[in-house]
Amino acid sequence: MSNRPFKVLGIQQVAIGGTDKNRMKKLWVDMLGLEQTGTFQSERENVDEDILAMGKGAMKVEVDIMQPMDIEKKPAVHATPLNHIGLWIDDLPKAVEWLTANGVRFAPGGIRKGAAGYDITFLHPKSNDEFPIAGEGVLIELVQAPADVIAALG
């Protein structure tokens, strides 16, 4: 597989789901000292999210704490406490094209703007007959790395 036309550069984020993000904030902000850098809400994705950060510049890693907007609706962002992991990708469109051609299953939605403003897409946690490679139970977000991250980690 040496002809892979993209590179995974590092961890962009870890997303943690629960029923009450204020309880999570007590640990991550008040106790551990992460800085809140933003918020994001999406009815379509059923998420109310606080974006926290550790580190600076290209070495910054997000910790997104999430609760559902409606606990009865899907997706259930709280159902798996470690909701997903985000990976910096140097060329997201090439990665999606190559991974799809090689049997990797993506979640619906395609490439789109994510909560932090970067282009994102998700690898599906479960494979199927058409796409036999997936996250084996883990939702994985691929995030287009900006130029400074590519320069620092590439």
Side-chain angles (χ1 to χ4, degrees):
M1 301 261 172
S2 61
N3 62 343
R4 185 178 302 104
F6 67 94
K7 185 176 179 183
V8 175
L9 301 172
I11 293 177
Q12 184 268 338
Q13 70 175 259
V14 176
I16 301 168
T19 56
D20 183 352
K21 69 179 182 176
N22 288 323
R23 289 177 53 85
M24 291 182 280
K25 223 174 179 170
K26 184 69 125 173
L27 172 65
W28 290 98
V29 175
D30 297 347
M31 298 293 108
L32 297 177
L34 274 68
E35 174 188 358
Q36 182 169 343
T37 60
T39 60
F40 178 74
Q41 290 186 330
S42 170
E43 286 187 30
R44 185 174 71 86
E45 295 179 20
N46 192 34
V47 68
D48 178 5
E49 173 178 331
D50 286 345
I51 302 166
L52 312 179
M54 63 178 124
K56 299 277 183 229
M59 302 302 178
K60 180 177 79 175
V61 175
E62 285 180 22
V63 175
D64 297 344
I65 54 175
M66 308 182 309
Q67 68 184 31
M69 292 182 82
D70 183 338
I71 204 156
E72 301 299 320
K73 290 187 176 176
K74 301 283 186 196
V77 299
H78 63 291
T80 305
L82 179 57
N83 185 277
H84 65 272
I85 187 167
L87 303 175
W88 286 124
I89 302 294
D90 64 346
D91 190 327
L92 187 58
K94 279 187 183 173
V96 169
E97 180 182 357
W98 189 85
L99 291 168
T100 301
N102 283 279
V104 175
R105 184 177 182 198
F106 283 84
I111 295 175
R112 59 198 181 273
K113 282 280 180 238
Y118 304 112
D119 284 350
I120 58 107
T121 193
F122 288 92
L123 301 183
H124 203 287
K126 296 178 185 173
S127 62
N128 61 19
D129 290 340
E130 185 180 2
F131 296 100
I133 303 168
E136 295 302 317
V138 177
L139 185 63
I140 301 167
E141 183 174 6
L142 302 183
V143 183
Q144 175 61 58
D148 64 330
V149 172
I150 293 170
L153 302 177

